[in-house]
């Protein structure tokens, strides 16, 4: 008898890494996957106290650019006044940078030294 070289059986192919997958019974099943994408880094816009910017101006800026009602804006302004700084809002990097620019532009236009900064959180 002529013996023919036989290949060893190929290893079973790996399960596909994508969903959906067909199980032994032919049903389509969804596999739970661990989340691979990190949530984006967020930034807090912090407004700083100074001795010259009028309180009313700060309240209006917080209302206008951080979408706060007058009551909330007043509380934030007073926190800045008393503590030296306070967070006005939390945003993605680009939105936070835009808020800082808007505040700086409005302050410069009005001739006030009001400053705010964007800081990564966590
Ligand atoms: N300290 C200012 C004043 O007494 C008021 C003020 C509040 C200024 C908040 C800046 O971010 C600020 N007129």
């Amino acid at each position: 008898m002529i013996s023919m070289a036989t290949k060893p059986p190929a290893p079973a192919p790996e399960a596909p890494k994508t969903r959906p997958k067909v199980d032994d019974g032919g049903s389509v099943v969804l596999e739970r996957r661990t989340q691979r994408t990190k949530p984006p880094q967020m930034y807090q816009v912090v407004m700083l106290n100074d001795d010259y910017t009028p309180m009313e101006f700060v309240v209006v800026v917080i209302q206008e650019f951080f979408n706060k009602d007058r009551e909330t804006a007043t509380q934030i302004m007073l926190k800045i006044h008393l503590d030296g700084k306070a967070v006005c809002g939390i945003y993605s990097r680009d939105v936070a940078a835009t808020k800082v620019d808007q505040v700086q532009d409005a302050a410069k236009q009005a001739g006030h030294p009001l400053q705010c900064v964007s800081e990564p959180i966590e």
Side-chain angles (χ1 to χ4, degrees), residues 5 12 28 30 33 47 50 52 69 72 79 82 84 98 100 106 109:
V28 175
L30 296 179
R33 295 179 117 196
M47 197 171 289
D50 65 71
Y52 306 102
D69 59 35
T72 305
K79 181 169 172 57
L82 296 172
T98 299
V100 170
Q109 176 87 12

Side-chain angles (χ1 to χ4, degrees), residues 47-55 58 76-78 80-81 114-115:
M47 197 171 289
L48 308 176
N49 190 34
D50 65 71
D51 292 338
Y52 306 102
T53 304
M55 290 183 174
V58 178
I76 295 171
M77 182 279 295
L78 286 173
I80 303 165
H81 180 71
L114 181 64
Q115 292 292 316

Side-chain angles (χ1 to χ4, degrees), residues 5-100:
T6 54
K7 278 194 208 163
E14 246 185 82
K17 292 194 169 58
T18 54
R19 297 183 293 177
K21 184 185 169 192
V22 179
D23 73 4
D24 291 344
S27 309
V28 175
V29 292
L30 296 179
E31 290 181 324
R32 186 181 296 281
R33 295 179 117 196
T34 49
Q35 193 179 335
R36 286 168 205 273
T37 50
K38 292 181 289 177
Q41 171 74 63
M42 299 299 278
Y43 290 72
Q44 57 187 15
V45 177
V46 178
M47 197 171 289
L48 308 176
N49 190 34
D50 65 71
D51 292 338
Y52 306 102
T53 304
M55 290 183 174
E56 175 60 21
F57 181 81
V58 178
V59 171
V60 170
V61 160
I62 295 171
Q63 281 184 263
E64 188 160 326
F65 298 122
F66 299 96
N67 305 314
K68 306 298 186 198
D69 59 35
R70 188 158 177 91
E71 181 77 23
T72 305
T74 302
Q75 286 170 2
I76 295 171
M77 182 279 295
L78 286 173
K79 181 169 172 57
I80 303 165
H81 180 71
L82 296 172
D83 297 351
K85 62 183 181 177
V87 175
C88 291
I90 293 175
Y91 308 96
S92 64
R93 187 178 61 174
D94 288 358
V95 174
T98 299
K99 301 284 177 191
V100 170

